[in-house]
């Protein structure tokens, strides 16, 4: 009886040792990673794509697997015909229709990032240089996956999807109440 117990214990010890001694699997290439874990997105945005502070109807939800469920961008509330603006300077890499929807893609200057906006009727052409806040098109009345009219705003680095809100600096994301600062060097009345 005692020999059986020690035999099983020895088997578990051998399995545990083999597990520890096994080499770690090689890291997966970046294009196979399901969600971005890269926090090096520079806050270079200078404007919201639509409006001054639009309502985020649906946020970024990275998928658990490469082809898994998730939301690879953010949906911003916007009425049809609203201007859609480039959040940062860049060059238009695509302006046209994909699966019946108008899409504009902009490669951001000085980075390896690309933003997309849809459904948008483009007012720019491929190759156009854009400044931050420049209009790239208008919100289409149909073609959105939202229950109301919206703009889907996406961000990619290579094949990895990232949270587009990370492009915006904190002062654009979280506007708090106005604060009065002291004025120095001015005599009191």
């Amino acid at each position: 009886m005692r020999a059986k117990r020690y035999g099983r214990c020895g088997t578990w010890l051998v399995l545990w040792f083999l597990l520890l001694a096994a080499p770690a699997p090689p890291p997966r290439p970046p294009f196979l990673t399901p969600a971005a874990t890269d926090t090096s997105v520079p806050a270079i945005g200078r404007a919201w794509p639509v409006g001054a502070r639009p309502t985020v109807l649906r946020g970024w939800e990275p998928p658990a697997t490469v082809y898994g469920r998730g939301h690879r961008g953010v949906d911003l509330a916007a009425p049809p015909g609203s201007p859609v603006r480039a959040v940062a300077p860049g060059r238009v890499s695509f302006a046209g229709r994909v699966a019946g929807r108008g899409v504009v893609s902009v490669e951001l200057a000085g980075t390896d990032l690309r933003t997309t906006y849809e459904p948008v009727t483009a007012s720019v052409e491929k190759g156009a240089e854009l400044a931050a806040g420049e209009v790239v098109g208008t919100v289409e009345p149909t073609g959105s996956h939202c229950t109301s009219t919206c703009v889907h705003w996406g961000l990619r680095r290579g094949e990895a999807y990232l949270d587009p809100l990370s492009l915006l600096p904190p002062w654009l994301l979280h506007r708090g109440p106005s604060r009065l600062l002291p004025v120095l060097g001015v005599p009191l009345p």
Side-chain angles (χ1 to χ4, degrees):
M1 181 80 141
R2 205 174 226 174
K4 280 187 175 180
R5 187 178 334 177
Y6 290 128
R8 272 188 254 152
C9 184
T11 303
W12 283 110
L13 282 173
V14 168
L15 288 174
W16 183 72
F17 177 74
L18 289 174
L19 181 66
L20 289 178
R28 295 193 311 181
F31 60 87
L32 294 179
T33 54
T37 55
D38 188 3
T39 57
S40 64
V41 174
I44 59 173
R46 295 294 169 250
W48 282 90
V50 290
R53 176 73 170 100
T55 301
V56 177
L57 299 174
R58 185 174 177 193
W60 184 67
E61 300 164 13
T65 63
V66 178
Y67 299 107
R69 294 176 59 167
H71 193 237
R72 294 160 176 88
V74 294
D75 293 335
L76 305 173
S82 298
V84 178
R85 302 179 185 282
V87 297
R91 178 187 306 249
V92 177
S93 59
F94 179 83
R97 303 202 70 76
V98 175
R101 296 182 189 162
V103 177
V104 175
S105 292
V106 178
E107 293 176 1
L108 303 182
T111 70
D112 57 350
L113 301 170
R114 181 176 70 240
T115 60
T116 57
Y117 312 95
E118 67 172 279
V120 174
T121 301
S123 61
V124 293
E125 294 181 359
K126 181 179 178 179
E129 294 286 335
L130 301 172
E134 193 169 337
V135 174
V136 298
T138 56
V139 179
E140 292 181 349
T142 59
S144 171
H145 60 261
C146 300
T147 55
S148 62
T149 313
C150 75
V151 169
H152 178 83
W153 175 32
L155 176 65
R156 289 176 78 169
R157 171 178 283 133
E159 296 299 315
Y161 290 92
L162 304 167
D163 182 359
L165 293 177
S166 61
L167 283 173
L168 299 178
W171 62 269
L172 255 178
L173 285 172
H174 310 289
R175 285 204 175 156
S178 297
R179 297 183 308 185
L180 295 175
L181 299 175
V183 178
L184 303 174
V186 176
L188 293 173

